[in-house]
Amino acid sequence: MTRKNWMLAVLIAAISAPALAVADQYTVDPDHTYPSLEFSHMGISIWRGKFNKTSGKITLDVAARTGSADIQVDTASIDFGHDKMNEYALRADWLNVGKFPTMTYKGAIKFEGDMPVSVDGQLTLLGVTKPLKLKINSFQCIAHPLLKKKVCGADAEGDLNRADFGMTQYSEGEAGKVHLRIQVEALKGG
């Protein structure tokens, strides 16, 4: 094969080879991401709180229908809108922020067609890691009008029992059930 024919063959192979899909990397926007929780207060009302400091990375490969989430939550940033409850939540028998300042969630994003629908992950809280599946209720990506970057957002939710993570005080029956809601936005490339 002549050098000219060899170069032509290489060029044709390069043009006809399918492009390899590369997963997009996103950085969680801490100003637009708030994991929140709700649980029964003695069976008479529902307490709601949110975590004000969250960080992490999300990977999405829409073409391959795969992705992952790696999220860190500053447990001391809990905010119930009630000072006494905030103080209580920081104590050793609840979030124990002195020993466990961070809660993490890592998981694989599952797709149905082109749409992410859930995250099968692991929550680490108080040094205990347990499975936690999050249902994705909505998902959307747009070109951010101010930052001129792609931004994706989602609303997800899931349930856990706090006793499974060692928070056993007042956790019998319905009192131990915690419903999580997560609003998350992430910027492509960070």
Side-chain angles (χ1 to χ4, degrees), residues 110-152:
K110 303 297 181 188
F111 282 69
E112 283 184 11
D114 293 333
M115 191 62 64
V117 295
S118 65
V119 184
D120 287 338
Q122 300 280 320
L123 176 68
T124 300
L125 173 62
L126 297 171
V128 177
T129 302
K130 296 280 185 181
L132 176 61
K133 183 172 185 169
L134 298 175
K135 176 186 173 202
I136 298 175
N137 298 317
S138 65
F139 175 84
Q140 182 70 37
C141 295
I142 64 167
H144 195 288
L146 300 175
L147 300 175
K148 309 300 182 201
K149 290 182 176 186
K150 186 175 181 182
V151 62
C152 294

Side-chain angles (χ1 to χ4, degrees), residues 2 39 99 130 133 172:
T2 68
F39 56 91
K99 187 172 180 183
K130 296 280 185 181
K133 183 172 185 169
E172 298 81 23

Side-chain angles (χ1 to χ4, degrees), residues 37-109:
L37 57 110
E38 54 188 57
F39 56 91
S40 175
H41 180 245
M42 301 188 309
I44 57 174
S45 67
I46 301 295
W47 278 88
R48 292 179 177 89
K50 65 183 178 97
F51 294 94
N52 291 321
K53 293 182 182 174
T54 303
S55 61
K57 299 285 183 193
I58 297 172
T59 302
L60 284 175
D61 186 339
V62 177
R65 295 182 176 98
T66 63
S68 64
D70 186 348
I71 310 296
Q72 297 79 42
V73 177
D74 177 346
T75 54
S77 73
I78 188 73
D79 183 0
F80 285 98
H82 186 276
D83 291 340
K84 292 260 188 225
M85 185 59 189
N86 293 346
E87 290 173 23
Y88 181 81
L90 303 178
R91 295 181 0 192
D93 57 351
W94 224 70
L95 291 174
N96 195 2
V97 299
K99 187 172 180 183
F100 302 102
T102 306
M103 171 174 46
T104 61
Y105 181 75
K106 296 179 182 185
I109 298 171

